[in-house]
Amino acid sequence: SGFLYDDTPDQLRAWEEIATDLSSTSPMDRLLCGDVGFGKTELAIRAAFRAVLSKKRVVVLAPTTILAGQLYSSFSARLESNAVLVEMVSRFRSRGELSKIKKRVLEGKNDVAATCPNEPAFFPCISPPNPCAASSKTNKSNFSANFIALIFI
């Protein structure tokens, strides 16, 4: 897996359950919790990679811009060697960078994006207050069908 540490029994069990969820035709609704340093992010990275292999795109939502940046770094370090494009939407990005990222998102050219809910509405299906509303510029119902959201709190 490329993970630096051996999986714990709890990680192995959680991954088996997550893998089963990802194989299901039903939407996944799973809460994974644990102390700091016990591999939750590693399991999220594996889930994201599996989603990308299934032609899905992943939005990683974090409660703060700082955590979004940390998750971006972790996901990038683990996934970019597999030709997975990981991006970050953040107030720490320039307008030019954000414009390029938004274009790639709308064209379906990125795989994983880390952000937090108070960032610009790049992901209309998970941005309040009008999730998945129809728009003349984007077919958001089709847009949402290709995304999986991983939410960190």
Side-chain angles (χ1 to χ4, degrees):
S1 75
F3 189 46
L4 298 175
Y5 307 99
D6 292 332
D7 288 342
T8 66
D10 287 339
Q11 279 179 302
L12 292 171
R13 189 185 79 242
W15 177 246
E16 288 175 14
E17 293 171 0
I18 291 167
T20 299
D21 288 348
L22 290 170
S23 298
S24 171
T25 57
S26 300
M28 183 167 106
D29 185 11
R30 177 164 301 278
L31 173 65
L32 180 62
C33 55
D35 289 334
V36 172
F38 279 80
K40 298 175 301 296
T41 301
E42 172 61 22
L43 294 178
I45 291 169
R46 292 177 192 179
F49 186 59
R50 181 148 171 202
V52 169
L53 291 176
S54 297
K55 307 282 189 245
K56 299 285 185 184
R57 293 161 62 207
V58 178
V59 178
V60 181
L61 289 174
T64 66
T65 304
I66 299 298
L67 181 56
Q70 291 170 340
L71 292 168
Y72 165 73
S73 295
S74 296
F75 276 68
S76 295
R78 290 276 280 118
L79 298 176
E80 286 185 340
S81 65
N82 294 294
V84 174
L85 178 58
V86 180
E87 312 221 53
M88 184 174 72
V89 176
S90 163
R91 66 177 186 239
F92 299 129
R93 300 281 191 197
S94 71
R95 286 184 188 215
E97 288 173 309
L98 290 173
S99 178
K100 290 176 185 175
I101 293 169
K102 185 171 186 174
K103 183 178 182 203
R104 286 190 294 270
V105 167
L106 293 174
E107 292 174 347
K109 293 183 177 176
N110 71 325
D111 299 307
V112 178
T115 189
C116 59
N118 62 349
E119 299 298 345
F122 277 74
F123 311 100
C125 291
I126 56 173
S127 296
N130 196 11
C132 297
S135 165
S136 60
K137 292 189 175 198
T138 316
N139 179 347
K140 293 179 184 164
S141 60
N142 184 36
F143 190 78
S144 67
N146 295 320
F147 273 94
I148 292 177
L150 301 173
I151 304 170
F152 286 78
I153 54 172

